[in-house]
Amino acid sequence: MTTPPQWVRDLKPSGPQGSELLAHERSKSSVNVDQLSTFLFTSEGLARKRRVLKVLENEKVFDKSQNYFAGRVDRFETALARAKRLRQLAVRNGWSNDDRLIANELISEPGPYGLHESMFLITLRDQGNAEQHEKFLKPAEQYKYIGCYAQTELGHGSNVRGLETTATWNKEDQTFTIHSPYLTASKWWIGSLGRTANHAVVMAQLIIGGKSYGPHPFVVQIRDLNTHETLENIHVGDIGPKFGYNTMDNGYLLFNQVKVPHISMLARFSRVDPKTNQYVRPASASLIYGTLTWVRSTIVMQAGGVLARGVTIATRYCAVRRQFQDRDAQEGQKSENQVINYTTVQIRLLPLLATTFALHFTGKAMMEMYGANQKKMSQDVGKVGGPERGAGPEETHSGSDLLADLHATSCGLKSLASYTAVEGLEMCRRACGGHGYSSFSGIGPWYADYLPTATWEGDNYMLTQQVARYLLKSARSVLKGNEPTNDTTFILTNFLSRQDTGAAFDVLGNDADIVAAFAWRSAFLTFEALKHRDEQKRPWNSLLVDFYRLSRAHSQYMVVKNFYETLQASPSATGLDAETLAIMHKLFRLYSLHTLESEASEFYTSSAVTVRQIQLCRTNAVMRLLEEIRPHAVRLVDAWSFPDWQLDSSLGRYDGKVYEDMFYRASELNPLNKVVVDPYPDSKVLFKKNEAAALKSKL
Amino acid sequence: MTTPPQWVRDLKPSGPQGSELLAHERSKSSVNVDQLSTFLFTSEGLARKRRVLKVLENEKVFDKSQNYFAGRVDRFETALARAKRLRQLAVRNGWSNDDRLIANELISEPGPYGLHESMFLITLRDQGNAEQHEKFLKPAEQYKYIGCYAQTELGHGSNVRGLETTATWNKEDQTFTIHSPYLTASKWWIGSLGRTANHAVVMAQLIIGGKSYGPHPFVVQIRDLNTHETLENIHVGDIGPKFGYNTMDNGYLLFNQVKVPHISMLARFSRVDPKTNQYVRPASASLIYGTLTWVRSTIVMQAGGVLARGVTIATRYCAVRRQFQDRDAQEGQKSENQVINYTTVQIRLLPLLATTFALHFTGKAMMEMYGANQKKMSQDVGKVGGPERGAGPEETHSGSDLLADLHATSCGLKSLASYTAVEGLEMCRRACGGHGYSSFSGIGPWYADYLPTATWEGDNYMLTQQVARYLLKSARSVLKGNEPTNDTTFILTNFLSRQDTGAAFDVLGNDADIVAAFAWRSAFLTFEALKHRDEQKRPWNSLLVDFYRLSRAHSQYMVVKNFYETLQASPSATGLDAETLAIMHKLFRLYSLHTLESEASEFYTSSAVTVRQIQLCRTNAVMRLLEEIRPHAVRLVDAWSFPDWQLDSSLGRYDGKVYEDMFYRASELNPLNKVVVDPYPDSKVLFKKNEAAALKSKL
């Protein structure tokens, strides 16, 4: 910390202060922030957040003031210290899983225990048998074993079946040999592996008697439990710096003929019988399928909140920042205009504000659908099968319609929701103008950490094939005359029955018609794709672009439908007063109509709406909604109730003290200001003084 | 450097090697890479690049191997060492300005001399008088004075007229007092200021006798020439970490009543007469206007090459990476498919490949237009005026049509070209799948450094108002019956004359008709906007979104037109053989038709094309062009002739040794692998060993 001279400390920002501007924004809107927060998160959720925040704020190790300055090695070191302390706090305070999750949200950085606490424990629990629970899960839960989930390889990501690591069964001594035959077999991107883990669940091709049985999970110790040095014939390390996620030690891992005992293969579903040396097939793949669907569902669930951080920051800053006068302003009114008053800013920010709610309600609906399915599945186990991650055969979608619908929904919405959050965050960052580029905006680092969500758990392009496959299958069923059994077959049936009479959706006058228009477009594109595939026999590869568009259209329909249905709940169920509810209805229309006009050509080629309606939608409806929602923008982002501690943003401060905070961080916290350079080209000296280094070496 | 064990060093990637795959790609295309490179860069340009590269490669200080690992302070230190060395090399080798520019391109990182060597020297040269050249420019050219250009403030970016720093004329002692009355008056974002500069050109509101005369440039010394410590009553420092650009010391700067002599105000155009204490007005603002237009033109010129780096990396990697089999493949052909064969990859990469050429040719045309205008302007000085940066009165666009057209063109194309490059780079990064997220992809860091181009030299949204204003003015002129004097008024006149007979552009059959369709859409949107403003008297603010779309449409027309016209040159002028030229024509069509279908609704609402044409364009023309261009993709990116040294990318290596290089960087160069952690939550030790720190403290 350096302190500027007194004359600098006496300076204030010019003009109306940020705090005054935000206070004014809040005073002129009647949106009930508390009601809306409670509707979004429940009062228990809000209380939990406050309680956990209080604990974290009082721990020095969680202090964020150097986060944006530190280099990779230092950031990782701090993240490790935080992970350890968090575990201690969880034990001491008896935190529930929800408490732990909210703590991670508040800290907002990936940590070295990340994969241990998620995929490692989950996989041991779900795929281990009782003996393996005792041997592996118990020490893992006590943090004696610290693990990771090693699936992706240098040469294979999406295509799990193409993994190259092998696990060969040795009947002589009843062991498996884990081996990396190629450089491309190196495990890669594995979170918590680079420096932290001493164990790994390794996905490897099971080979028995020269025959391959596909990828299976093996628990392998990789580092010494005392020295933490790498074990023999194992090569492991951190994969290096990334666009974000640099507090995490994503790692690589190679094996040179490493023997592990029979118990290492997680055997709840499939196993090798050591007596017969035979492979025992799993009864059902549907539970694995369930886990993957769950992971995607949580991504959908989180996307609204992820985006809302950026929208909160940008909205508050654009209400504080003033630039230029309004061109049509009268003389005498020539004070500078709040940036949020410009329609080019509104057209970017306010539809995104609407999107945060749209995604949040969709995520909630998705989780409820998942819960309902889990219930049903526990009755159905053994009866159904489902496609695996990445790819599955086109026509073999057997099992209940609910299950298939859930799978397709989770794929399509994961793709749309994470794409929308990624694009939206970057749009928020740019809406902050030049200062958006500073790390102190808080958007850039958050965006960079979130970005891989668009690629992992199914690449956002790859996944759309799953949606298209499901829709084609549903359309075939409907064409055969089968009765609709779920919403998807219902909208397809409805489209077919009305195809010849045509649609006449009053999208500008009636909210239910908006939902119907989105359904119509989705159904239209489904039957178009079916024609290309089944009648014209076009190659699958030539249809991928159409499939991507189809998945997007169908997913947007689901978002619009979920947003609409959430607002149809009884007033007592939402707990919202009439004014707040009315604004939510406007946000629904803004999200829907803005999406409709952005995707205009699919809507009119499907004849869901006319060209005239789209023009009116663009020039009238959307522009009017921007004007109507504008006064409530600050209160609406307040309802997301992010503490300043979580946002860690100069621009997004609740109190509007934007410039004071930017200046404080730059001038008092910035280690680069502790060096004095020699700037002349002919001098070999670079730093005349380096107090930062001096300080560090003293520690 | 750490060396992995022998068994690791013996490993090779599986399957066909990257080098084999790229060799195969190159063998099956007949595109003449040398001819195309020469057409793009001239043989002198290519020779210059090779010559300068040889010098840089032999200097240890330019070694890039730790670039992606180092933290902020270290990166800045290295960048300073490089800047110094580069200056020494330039002197020793007698480098021209072009040599210096290509060296910067090859090094590819912003450096601490960046603003000294551009805006500081340019401003002294262009805005200083002879006496000031002697006093300031001479020592600056000798790097005794090292400077920066301090315009933007904490509270004001785009709106230059709103700057808060003051320069008050003191008639008693014929000095100016430079002062920062508010915290928001702090200069901010100023490149080379944070640690490096000892002088600044400070833009400040000139005040004489209590009256303000607007922003003017003052040369102010800020640090001691020997100790490099900050001078009294000045507060200066680095503004902290950013999304990218972290090798540059962007700075802040505050003044507490600092007196500077009369000569400090750059006086070539306007000045204070020390005898009369009167302000002497500039004869013309058009030369300043010229500089800003030049800066924007260079952004347009560079955008193609900026994007081409990402496209080169992604194209090569997608030809090396293989994932999944083709779904329709016959048994026996089930080897994995190169990722570039998937249409979802092609639809992202190949239109971007076409875009690199489209932008490059547009940039060249823009620079030629600038040159022609400079010639004309040197004859016209004194006769013309023009709008200043950011804003200008709506109706006062006087002066030659060429000048006005140049200004609007540079604004519109700067906005479109930098937006396109930014979005395209990120699309390339994602097309690389998971590995795109690694810094070793080379795209992420490049993207992060380029990103501010979308904001500086006129925010990409703000600038579009300038284009719209110009188009509205041109349309008014045409409506009055004035004869067309340039291309813009020509296409507007043509639209009016054919408006009642309608358009019938054969966009799928005739290249000239594609250009005409883009012109038609631009003219249609111009007259629509004019109707809203002049007939319906709608507020300017309510039309900003339409203006943004209009500017985009008009700029896309110019890109299409420039691409088309470049290919109309005689074969001897292009130097391309028939096969290579034929591929270039296909790239023209791909860029144009892909843009047309992406912006479909504006094309059919303007009746430039029919809905049926757009459908055909989407399902037939674009998909067929992807197929036809696909075999030539690798050779086409080769023609951009980026040396590996410049790309610094594992994924984009010319030889295709993608996986070897990823692994090498992670396992042998990565300093995080020099620490051994204690991973257990209850231990207070974080790093059991820290060889990285040990190594560093020894140095």
Side-chain angles (χ1 to χ4, degrees):
Chain A
M1 289 256 313
T2 48
T3 310
Q6 189 61 44
W7 64 268
V8 171
R9 281 149 63 204
D10 289 342
L11 289 172
K12 294 224 170 338
S14 64
Q17 301 297 306
S19 50
E20 294 162 9
L21 289 163
L22 287 192
H24 180 67
E25 289 290 331
R26 289 180 178 118
S27 75
K28 76 187 178 186
S29 162
S30 52
V31 165
N32 190 314
V33 172
D34 287 341
Q35 279 177 5
L36 188 49
S37 293
T38 307
F39 181 48
L40 292 174
F41 305 111
T42 75
S43 39
E44 297 73 39
L46 293 169
R48 167 177 293 122
K49 193 165 179 173
R50 281 190 298 270
R51 179 166 46 79
V52 172
L53 175 62
K54 194 165 267 176
V55 175
L56 298 178
E57 276 178 330
N58 287 323
E59 297 278 332
K60 202 171 169 321
V61 73
F62 297 113
D63 171 63
K64 298 188 180 188
S65 63
Q66 280 296 312
N67 275 7
Y68 297 141
F69 298 103
R72 176 89 208 283
V73 176
D74 292 337
R75 287 204 71 191
F76 174 72
E77 188 172 12
T78 307
L80 180 62
R82 288 173 182 168
K84 290 184 175 200
R85 185 65 187 146
L86 200 61
R87 168 69 188 160
Q88 293 166 4
L89 289 171
V91 171
R92 185 205 291 166
N93 294 308
W95 277 352
S96 69
N97 196 44
D98 282 345
D99 292 335
R100 204 175 54 75
L101 292 176
I102 200 81
N104 280 328
E105 262 186 43
L106 289 166
I107 294 168
S108 300
E109 71 178 20
Y113 287 168
L115 275 285
H116 172 79
E117 289 173 345
S118 55
M119 284 300 279
F120 186 63
L121 290 178
I122 289 168
T123 309
L124 293 181
R125 192 170 299 141
D126 291 355
Q127 303 197 37
N129 60 25
E131 195 188 355
Q132 289 167 328
H133 283 175
E134 186 62 27
K135 182 166 171 60
F136 300 124
L137 181 58
K138 216 165 157 185
E141 285 175 336
Q142 294 163 341
Y143 288 67
K144 288 177 184 160
Y145 291 0
I146 294 171
C148 59
Y149 182 81
Q151 178 169 301
T152 301
E153 295 176 355
L154 187 50
H156 284 89
S158 303
N159 184 11
V160 179
R161 293 180 191 174
L163 293 177
E164 295 174 350
T165 306
T166 53
T168 307
W169 173 245
N170 310 304
K171 56 182 176 181
E172 319 76 48
D173 59 0
Q174 308 206 332
T175 58
F176 299 94
T177 299
I178 312 284
H179 186 58
S180 315
Y182 302 105
L183 187 66
T184 37
S186 178
K187 295 296 174 186
W188 205 267
W189 285 112
I190 313 305
S192 306
L193 167 66
R195 299 283 85 195
T196 309
N198 53 31
H199 279 71
V201 168
V202 177
M203 289 296 280
Q205 302 284 357
L206 173 64
I207 296 170
I208 309 173
K211 192 185 160 195
S212 176
Y213 291 84
H216 286 76
F218 296 82
V219 182
V220 187
Q221 183 177 345
I222 53 173
R223 289 186 172 99
D224 184 271
L225 298 187
N226 291 314
T227 65
H228 207 62
E229 296 283 357
T230 309
L231 299 184
E232 208 179 352
N233 287 315
I234 288 176
H235 189 59
V236 58
D238 173 273
I239 62 163
K242 296 145 293 187
F243 198 72
Y245 236 75
N246 284 310
T247 44
M248 172 65 90
D249 55 327
N250 296 87
Y252 61 82
L253 178 60
L254 281 162
F255 299 97
N256 184 31
Q257 313 280 6
V258 173
K259 278 204 174 184
V260 296
H262 176 261
I263 197 174
S264 301
M265 179 173 154
L266 291 176
R268 180 153 167 213
F269 300 115
S270 51
R271 57 194 180 87
V272 178
D273 186 326
K275 293 186 189 125
T276 62
N277 296 304
Q278 295 295 306
Y279 178 67
V280 182
R281 292 200 173 277
S284 155
S286 58
L287 278 167
I288 301 172
Y289 174 38
T291 303
L292 297 172
T293 304
W294 177 79
V295 172
R296 286 189 200 112
S297 302
T298 57
I299 291 176
V300 178
M301 180 70 229
Q302 288 159 356
V306 165
L307 176 58
R309 279 176 76 139
V311 174
T312 299
I313 293 168
T315 300
R316 287 179 183 160
Y317 176 55
C318 287
V320 169
R321 182 182 182 209
R322 295 170 308 124
Q323 205 83 182
F324 293 109
Q325 290 92 29
D326 187 313
R327 172 173 289 274
D328 294 324
Q330 304 301 310
E331 278 303 324
Q333 303 178 341
K334 290 256 175 190
S335 71
E336 285 189 292
N337 205 353
Q338 286 167 291
V339 166
I340 199 173
N341 289 334
Y342 292 104
T343 54
T344 32
V345 171
Q346 291 171 8
I347 195 74
R348 287 179 280 168
L349 278 190
L350 301 185
L352 287 177
L353 175 57
T355 303
T356 61
F357 295 105
L359 291 179
H360 183 79
F361 298 137
T362 302
K364 278 173 94 164
M366 174 88 238
M367 288 312 256
E368 279 160 24
M369 190 175 168
Y370 177 78
N373 180 66
Q374 283 298 94
K375 223 180 203 172
K376 190 162 160 42
M377 222 168 53
S378 61
Q379 305 153 4
D380 290 356
V381 165
K383 283 187 266 170
V384 297
E388 281 169 43
R389 171 134 124 187
E394 189 173 346
E395 305 299 337
T396 60
H397 222 347
S398 62
S400 81
D401 280 341
L402 178 60
L403 187 65
D405 206 53
L406 177 70
H407 173 71
T409 303
S410 79
C411 290
L413 287 177
K414 184 271 174 182
S415 176
L416 178 68
S418 61
Y419 174 85
T420 305
V422 161
E423 297 297 302
L425 282 176
E426 174 60 12
M427 197 174 279
C428 291
R429 200 190 60 69
R430 288 187 211 163
C432 294
H435 291 342
Y437 194 62
S438 167
S439 299
F440 305 151
S441 79
I443 304 180
W446 176 243
Y447 166 83
D449 280 353
Y450 182 71
L451 200 46
T453 313
T455 304
W456 67 32
E457 308 309 339
D459 172 88
N460 279 357
Y461 278 84
M462 293 291 312
L463 280 181
T464 59
Q465 293 185 51
Q466 307 277 346
V467 185
R469 188 177 299 128
Y470 168 69
L471 291 174
L472 293 186
K473 184 178 160 290
S474 299
R476 288 185 194 110
S477 160
V478 166
L479 281 181
K480 279 186 199 143
N482 293 331
E483 285 296 308
T485 54
N486 60 21
D487 186 65
T488 304
T489 41
F490 176 77
I491 65 169
L492 293 172
T493 305
N494 185 51
F495 175 84
L496 275 190
S497 71
R498 287 176 62 181
Q499 202 177 6
D500 295 329
T501 50
F505 301 118
D506 180 16
V507 290
L508 298 174
N510 183 316
D511 288 0
D513 272 24
I514 294 178
V515 182
F518 274 82
W520 183 272
R521 163 204 183 211
S522 172
F524 169 82
L525 292 174
T526 301
F527 286 110
E528 285 287 295
L530 190 71
K531 197 166 64 191
H532 294 149
R533 182 64 178 166
D534 286 4
E535 289 177 30
Q536 300 171 1
K537 307 286 180 199
R538 292 192 26 202
W540 187 261
N541 187 28
S542 76
L543 296 172
L544 295 181
V545 177
D546 289 346
F547 291 164
Y548 178 77
R549 290 192 178 115
L550 171 59
S551 170
R552 191 176 161 86
H554 188 66
S555 303
Q556 285 171 341
Y557 155 67
M558 289 188 286
V559 174
V560 166
K561 177 168 163 276
N562 283 310
F563 200 164
Y564 176 76
E565 288 178 353
T566 301
L567 299 183
Q568 297 308 302
S570 67
S572 66
T574 64
L576 301 177
D577 61 35
E579 282 182 83
T580 306
L581 190 59
I583 294 290
M584 294 306 288
H585 277 285
K586 285 178 181 171
L587 288 167
F588 161 74
R589 278 195 287 278
L590 180 60
Y591 172 77
S592 307
L593 296 178
H594 183 259
T595 304
L596 190 149
E597 69 119 341
S598 306
E599 313 273 355
S601 47
E602 289 177 6
F603 279 94
Y604 70 74
T605 41
S606 71
S607 305
V609 296
T610 63
V611 170
R612 177 72 184 143
Q613 280 176 302
I614 288 177
Q615 281 177 309
L616 286 173
C617 174
R618 177 170 292 174
T619 54
N620 292 20
V622 168
M623 296 308 283
R624 194 174 318 124
L625 284 165
L626 295 181
E627 202 177 326
E628 290 171 356
I629 291 167
R630 155 71 189 92
H632 309 286
V634 170
R635 274 188 176 253
L636 286 168
V637 301
D638 286 349
W640 277 95
S641 60
F642 292 108
D644 281 342
W645 195 85
Q646 184 176 6
L647 293 181
D648 197 16
S649 164
S650 296
L651 305 184
R653 284 174 67 102
Y654 185 87
D655 66 6
K657 295 194 170 178
V658 163
Y659 300 115
E660 296 92 326
D661 198 56
M662 286 282 279
F663 193 81
Y664 165 73
R665 292 181 190 239
S667 64
E668 304 195 32
L669 301 180
N670 183 358
L672 190 57
N673 287 327
K674 294 192 167 62
V675 307
V676 175
V677 311
D678 181 324
Y680 305 107
D682 294 329
S683 140
K684 284 195 176 159
V685 177
L686 294 171
F687 290 170
K688 286 165 176 272
K689 271 195 214 167
N690 190 352
E691 290 175 31
L695 202 72
K696 194 144 190 206
S697 71
K698 257 190 258 170
L699 296 177
Chain B
M1 289 257 312
T2 47
T3 310
Q6 190 60 44
W7 64 268
V8 171
R9 282 148 64 205
D10 290 342
L11 290 171
K12 295 223 170 335
S14 64
Q17 301 297 305
S19 49
E20 294 162 10
L21 289 163
L22 287 192
H24 180 68
E25 290 289 331
R26 289 179 179 119
S27 75
K28 74 185 181 188
S29 162
S30 52
V31 166
N32 191 313
V33 172
D34 287 341
Q35 279 178 6
L36 188 50
S37 292
T38 307
F39 180 49
L40 293 173
F41 305 111
T42 76
S43 39
E44 298 74 40
L46 293 169
R48 167 177 292 120
K49 193 166 178 173
R50 282 191 297 270
R51 179 165 46 78
V52 172
L53 176 62
K54 193 165 269 176
V55 175
L56 298 178
E57 277 178 329
N58 287 321
E59 296 278 334
K60 202 172 168 322
V61 71
F62 298 113
D63 171 64
K64 297 188 180 187
S65 63
Q66 281 296 312
N67 275 7
Y68 296 142
F69 299 102
R72 176 92 208 282
V73 176
D74 292 337
R75 288 203 70 190
F76 173 72
E77 188 172 13
T78 307
L80 180 63
R82 288 173 181 168
K84 289 183 176 201
R85 185 64 188 148
L86 199 61
R87 168 69 187 160
Q88 293 166 6
L89 290 171
V91 172
R92 185 208 288 168
N93 295 309
W95 276 353
S96 69
N97 196 45
D98 281 346
D99 292 334
R100 204 174 54 73
L101 291 176
I102 200 81
N104 280 328
E105 262 185 43
L106 288 165
I107 295 169
S108 299
E109 69 178 21
Y113 286 169
L115 273 286
H116 171 79
E117 289 172 345
S118 55
M119 284 300 280
F120 186 64
L121 290 177
I122 289 169
T123 309
L124 292 181
R125 192 171 297 141
D126 291 355
Q127 304 197 37
N129 59 25
E131 194 188 354
Q132 289 167 329
H133 284 174
E134 186 62 28
K135 183 167 170 60
F136 301 123
L137 182 58
K138 216 166 156 184
E141 284 174 339
Q142 295 162 342
Y143 288 68
K144 288 177 185 161
Y145 291 1
I146 294 171
C148 59
Y149 182 80
Q151 178 169 302
T152 300
E153 295 175 354
L154 188 52
H156 284 88
S158 304
N159 185 12
V160 179
R161 292 178 190 177
L163 292 178
E164 295 174 349
T165 306
T166 53
T168 307
W169 173 246
N170 310 304
K171 57 183 176 180
E172 320 76 48
D173 59 0
Q174 307 205 333
T175 58
F176 297 96
T177 299
I178 312 284
H179 186 59
S180 314
Y182 302 104
L183 187 66
T184 38
S186 178
K187 296 296 173 186
W188 204 267
W189 286 111
I190 312 307
S192 306
L193 166 66
R195 301 281 84 195
T196 310
N198 53 31
H199 279 72
V201 167
V202 177
M203 290 297 279
Q205 301 284 358
L206 172 64
I207 296 169
I208 310 172
K211 191 183 162 196
S212 176
Y213 292 84
H216 286 75
F218 296 82
V219 182
V220 186
Q221 183 177 344
I222 54 172
R223 289 187 172 100
D224 184 89
L225 297 189
N226 292 315
T227 65
H228 206 62
E229 296 283 356
T230 309
L231 299 183
E232 208 180 351
N233 287 315
I234 288 176
H235 189 59
V236 59
D238 173 273
I239 63 163
K242 297 145 292 187
F243 197 72
Y245 236 75
N246 283 310
T247 45
M248 172 64 91
D249 54 326
N250 296 86
Y252 61 83
L253 178 60
L254 282 162
F255 298 97
N256 184 32
Q257 312 279 5
V258 173
K259 277 201 175 186
V260 296
H262 177 262
I263 197 174
S264 301
M265 179 172 152
L266 291 176
R268 179 152 166 215
F269 300 115
S270 51
R271 58 195 179 85
V272 177
D273 185 328
K275 294 186 187 120
T276 63
N277 297 305
Q278 295 294 308
Y279 178 67
V280 181
R281 290 201 174 277
S284 156
S286 59
L287 277 167
I288 300 173
Y289 174 37
T291 303
L292 296 172
T293 304
W294 176 79
V295 172
R296 284 190 201 111
S297 302
T298 58
I299 291 176
V300 178
M301 180 70 227
Q302 288 158 358
V306 165
L307 176 58
R309 280 176 74 137
V311 175
T312 299
I313 293 168
T315 300
R316 287 180 183 160
Y317 176 55
C318 288
V320 170
R321 183 182 182 210
R322 295 169 308 123
Q323 205 83 181
F324 293 108
Q325 290 91 30
D326 188 312
R327 173 173 288 277
D328 295 322
Q330 304 301 311
E331 275 306 322
Q333 302 178 342
K334 290 253 175 191
S335 71
E336 286 189 292
N337 205 354
Q338 286 168 291
V339 166
I340 199 174
N341 289 334
Y342 292 103
T343 54
T344 30
V345 171
Q346 291 171 8
I347 194 75
R348 287 179 281 168
L349 278 191
L350 300 185
L352 287 177
L353 175 57
T355 304
T356 61
F357 296 105
L359 292 178
H360 184 79
F361 298 137
T362 302
K364 277 174 95 165
M366 175 88 239
M367 287 314 256
E368 280 159 25
M369 190 175 168
Y370 177 79
N373 180 66
Q374 283 298 95
K375 222 180 203 173
K376 189 162 161 43
M377 223 168 51
S378 61
Q379 304 154 3
D380 289 358
V381 165
K383 284 189 264 169
V384 296
E388 283 169 43
R389 172 137 124 184
E394 190 172 349
E395 305 297 336
T396 59
H397 222 348
S398 62
S400 81
D401 280 341
L402 179 59
L403 186 66
D405 206 52
L406 177 70
H407 173 70
T409 302
S410 79
C411 291
L413 287 177
K414 184 271 174 183
S415 175
L416 177 68
S418 61
Y419 174 85
T420 305
V422 161
E423 297 298 303
L425 282 175
E426 173 60 12
M427 197 174 281
C428 290
R429 200 190 60 69
R430 287 186 212 164
C432 294
H435 291 342
Y437 193 63
S438 167
S439 299
F440 306 150
S441 79
I443 306 180
W446 176 244
Y447 166 84
D449 280 354
Y450 182 71
L451 200 46
T453 314
T455 305
W456 67 32
E457 308 310 338
D459 171 87
N460 279 357
Y461 277 85
M462 292 293 310
L463 279 180
T464 59
Q465 293 185 53
Q466 307 276 346
V467 185
R469 189 179 298 129
Y470 168 69
L471 290 174
L472 293 186
K473 185 178 159 291
S474 300
R476 288 184 195 111
S477 162
V478 166
L479 281 180
K480 278 184 200 144
N482 293 331
E483 284 296 307
T485 54
N486 60 22
D487 185 67
T488 303
T489 42
F490 175 79
I491 64 168
L492 293 171
T493 306
N494 183 51
F495 176 84
L496 276 190
S497 71
R498 288 176 62 181
Q499 202 177 5
D500 295 330
T501 52
F505 301 118
D506 179 16
V507 290
L508 297 175
N510 182 317
D511 288 0
D513 273 23
I514 295 178
V515 182
F518 275 81
W520 184 272
R521 163 203 182 211
S522 171
F524 169 82
L525 291 174
T526 301
F527 286 111
E528 285 287 295
L530 190 71
K531 196 166 67 188
H532 294 148
R533 182 65 178 168
D534 286 5
E535 287 176 31
Q536 300 170 4
K537 307 285 180 200
R538 293 197 17 207
W540 187 261
N541 187 30
S542 75
L543 295 172
L544 295 181
V545 177
D546 289 346
F547 290 164
Y548 178 78
R549 291 192 177 115
L550 170 58
S551 170
R552 190 176 162 87
H554 188 67
S555 303
Q556 285 172 341
Y557 155 67
M558 289 187 286
V559 174
V560 166
K561 178 168 164 277
N562 283 309
F563 200 163
Y564 177 76
E565 288 178 353
T566 301
L567 299 182
Q568 297 308 302
S570 66
S572 66
T574 64
L576 300 177
D577 61 34
E579 282 184 81
T580 306
L581 190 59
I583 295 291
M584 293 307 288
H585 277 285
K586 285 178 182 169
L587 288 166
F588 161 74
R589 279 194 287 279
L590 180 59
Y591 172 78
S592 306
L593 296 179
H594 183 259
T595 304
L596 190 150
E597 69 117 342
S598 306
E599 312 275 356
S601 46
E602 289 177 7
F603 279 92
Y604 68 75
T605 40
S606 73
S607 305
V609 295
T610 64
V611 170
R612 176 72 184 142
Q613 280 177 303
I614 288 178
Q615 280 178 312
L616 286 173
C617 175
R618 176 170 294 172
T619 54
N620 291 20
V622 167
M623 296 308 284
R624 194 172 320 123
L625 285 165
L626 295 181
E627 204 177 325
E628 290 171 357
I629 291 167
R630 153 72 188 91
H632 309 286
V634 169
R635 275 188 175 253
L636 286 167
V637 300
D638 285 350
W640 277 94
S641 61
F642 292 108
D644 281 343
W645 195 85
Q646 183 176 6
L647 293 180
D648 196 16
S649 163
S650 297
L651 305 185
R653 284 174 69 101
Y654 184 87
D655 66 6
K657 296 194 170 179
V658 164
Y659 299 116
E660 297 90 325
D661 198 56
M662 287 283 281
F663 193 81
Y664 166 73
R665 293 182 190 238
S667 64
E668 303 195 33
L669 300 180
N670 184 357
L672 189 58
N673 287 326
K674 294 191 168 65
V675 307
V676 175
V677 313
D678 182 324
Y680 305 106
D682 293 329
S683 138
K684 283 194 177 161
V685 177
L686 294 170
F687 290 170
K688 286 165 175 274
K689 270 196 214 167
N690 190 352
E691 290 174 31
L695 201 74
K696 195 146 188 202
S697 72
K698 258 191 257 171
L699 296 177

